[in-house]
Amino acid sequence: MKKTTIIDVAKSAGVSIGTVSKVLNNKDYVSVEVKKKVQDTIERLNYQVNANARSLKALKTNKIGVIVSDISNIYMMSLAKVIEDRVRSMNYHMLIMSHNEDVTTEREVLQLILEQRVDALILVPTGGNVDMIQSVINNKIPVVIVDRKVEGITSDIIVDDNYYGSYEAVSYLHSLGHTRIGVIHGTENISIGKERLEGALAAIDKLECSKDKSLIVAGKFKAEEAYKATIELLLLPERPTAIYCCNNRMTVGMLKAIQEQGLKIPEEISIITFGDSTQWELVQPPLTLITQSLLRIGVEAAAILKNRLTMTESFEPKQIVIRPELLIRGSCSKPQQ
């Protein structure tokens, strides 16, 4: 059974989280009518007060919560390390958790992080729990969303220009002479999955590339799914001469499939991926890729939080879109004649 949170109480009672906190801590004025409504809701929902979370914003704790999608993803851990370095320079401590792309888990870890009374939150979202995230923002806890966009949330956000990056990836392969290009894309209900697929399809549509729908396969941002998708591409009657893989986690599965099929890179098939450059430097040949700037994301996130935490006057949410770059290495060549 899902644990009732202070946010659930506030929503059910039709009041703010701050009002519930005032009732729980018996601080500041709350009308008798509102106080009774909150107390009745607490009893009805059987809300158990966490001693460590009697107020979401009572005291400064010098803690910043970080929630990522998957702690086994090297990109996410590299991003967390950059953020940690910046947070520590601000004399804050970082608390990190992951939701594994599950909306229910995200809600649970959000509550756990908030119970630590964090001063701010950096979040790689699932795309769900909009009401809960917006409630946190409304309660004056700064939230910086990174990597993905979420409709319905008014927050600072730092994302890559995913559409542009994908368009560049396919365009580069086309410039080498590839016209039959496979695309392994992620989950489309997440903004990066949708935008990267749209960018790739736009390039295919504009350039003289094959529009064979069997060349576009879903990897769902998982290595095992990308492995299956790559095998599917390589066993086509006319296989692609190049493959663009839309994230680093799926690239692991793609490389495994290519290796098992005994194909040489780039002599027999060219590949390009979207992700962090450091992960693929030791692969032979080193992978050509659309890069993501971990350092800039970390610097921008820390700078926004520093301003949010120290400035007395509020300012409009910032949206920073970082244009990725094409890093040409050894995994792409002209197609065989």
Side-chain angles (χ1 to χ4, degrees), residues 195-220:
E195 292 167 0
R196 291 179 190 177
L197 176 59
E198 288 177 345
L201 293 178
I204 289 171
D205 187 59
K206 184 175 181 179
L207 304 171
E208 295 179 359
C209 295
S210 169
K211 296 180 175 60
D212 182 351
K213 292 182 179 179
S214 65
L215 293 172
I216 313 300
V217 290
K220 302 178 182 179

Side-chain angles (χ1 to χ4, degrees), residues 280-313:
W280 305 116
E281 290 175 348
L282 299 180
V283 174
Q284 292 300 320
L287 300 192
T288 295
L289 73 162
I290 302 298
T291 65
Q292 294 176 283
S293 179
L294 292 170
L295 179 59
R296 185 176 171 192
I297 291 173
V299 169
E300 296 282 8
I304 289 173
L305 284 187
K306 185 176 182 179
N307 288 335
R308 291 288 181 197
L309 292 167
T310 58
M311 294 179 66
T312 55
E313 295 184 6

Side-chain angles (χ1 to χ4, degrees), residues 254-266:
M254 177 185 68
L255 290 174
K256 180 181 178 183
I258 291 173
Q259 182 181 44
E260 287 186 2
Q261 292 298 308
L263 296 176
K264 294 181 180 180
I265 303 171

Side-chain angles (χ1 to χ4, degrees), residues 261-276:
Q261 292 298 308
L263 296 176
K264 294 181 180 180
I265 303 171
E267 293 85 354
E268 295 176 287
I269 190 162
S270 292
I271 58 174
I272 185 170
T273 187
F274 198 125
D276 174 31

Side-chain angles (χ1 to χ4, degrees), residues 8-244:
D8 296 326
V9 173
K11 187 175 181 180
S12 181
V15 299
S16 69
I17 298 172
T19 299
V20 177
S21 180
K22 290 176 184 178
V23 174
L24 291 172
N25 292 281
N26 198 27
K27 290 183 178 180
D28 300 325
Y29 173 76
V30 177
S31 70
V32 175
E33 181 183 354
V34 171
K35 186 174 184 179
K36 185 177 187 307
K37 182 190 293 185
V38 172
Q39 289 173 334
D40 288 346
T41 303
I42 288 172
E43 184 176 351
R44 176 168 53 82
L45 297 180
N46 193 29
Y47 172 61
Q48 303 297 314
V49 181
N50 186 308
N52 194 36
R54 296 196 62 87
S55 171
L56 288 178
K57 202 64 180 171
L59 297 170
K60 184 177 178 181
T61 63
N62 285 84
K63 297 176 184 177
I64 291 178
V66 177
I67 300 176
V68 299
S69 59
D70 181 358
I71 58 175
S72 67
N73 186 319
I74 293 177
Y75 170 73
M76 287 295 165
M77 280 297 91
S78 299
L79 176 60
K81 180 65 172 71
V82 172
I83 292 172
E84 182 184 34
D85 291 341
R86 296 289 161 175
V87 164
R88 186 176 289 119
S89 71
M90 295 162 54
N91 296 317
Y92 278 81
H93 301 289
M94 186 177 86
L95 304 176
I96 183 168
M97 299 188 75
S98 66
H99 52 62
N100 297 315
E101 305 292 4
D102 181 76
V103 175
T104 301
T105 303
E106 180 186 44
R107 193 173 187 89
E108 292 172 354
V109 297
L110 273 167
Q111 180 62 25
L112 288 172
I113 286 285
L114 293 174
E115 287 179 352
Q116 294 297 316
R117 294 183 294 136
V118 295
D119 295 326
L121 175 66
I122 297 175
L123 172 66
V124 178
T126 64
N129 294 310
V130 173
D131 58 336
M132 184 175 187
I133 297 168
Q134 191 60 51
S135 293
V136 174
I137 297 168
N138 294 343
N139 200 50
K140 309 302 181 183
I141 297 177
V143 175
V144 179
I145 291 176
V146 298
D147 192 57
R148 306 164 182 183
K149 300 174 183 176
V150 181
E151 295 295 329
I153 295 178
T154 307
S155 173
D156 297 304
I157 182 170
I158 306 171
V159 291
D160 291 298
D161 191 335
N162 294 292
Y163 181 99
Y164 171 84
S166 280
Y167 195 99
E168 285 294 289
V170 173
S171 296
Y172 175 66
L173 291 172
H174 180 264
S175 74
L176 295 175
H178 295 279
T179 57
R180 191 165 175 81
I181 300 170
V183 177
I184 302 174
H185 64 90
T187 308
E188 293 178 68
N189 63 350
I190 298 174
S191 66
I192 58 173
K194 181 175 182 289
E195 292 167 0
R196 291 179 190 177
L197 176 59
E198 288 177 345
L201 293 178
I204 289 171
D205 187 59
K206 184 175 181 179
L207 304 171
E208 295 179 359
C209 295
S210 169
K211 296 180 175 60
D212 182 351
K213 292 182 179 179
S214 65
L215 293 172
I216 313 300
V217 290
K220 302 178 182 179
F221 289 130
K222 296 180 180 179
E224 58 272 22
E225 293 295 332
Y227 169 84
K228 296 174 186 176
T230 307
I231 293 294
E232 183 180 331
L233 289 173
L234 298 180
L235 294 182
L236 288 171
E238 185 184 356
R239 66 171 173 80
T241 59
I243 299 176
Y244 164 50

Side-chain angles (χ1 to χ4, degrees), residues 303-326:
I304 289 173
L305 284 187
K306 185 176 182 179
N307 288 335
R308 291 288 181 197
L309 292 167
T310 58
M311 294 179 66
T312 55
E313 295 184 6
S314 61
F315 54 91
E316 289 297 312
K318 290 187 175 182
Q319 178 170 309
I320 299 172
V321 180
I322 300 173
R323 177 160 285 194
E325 297 180 356
L326 173 65

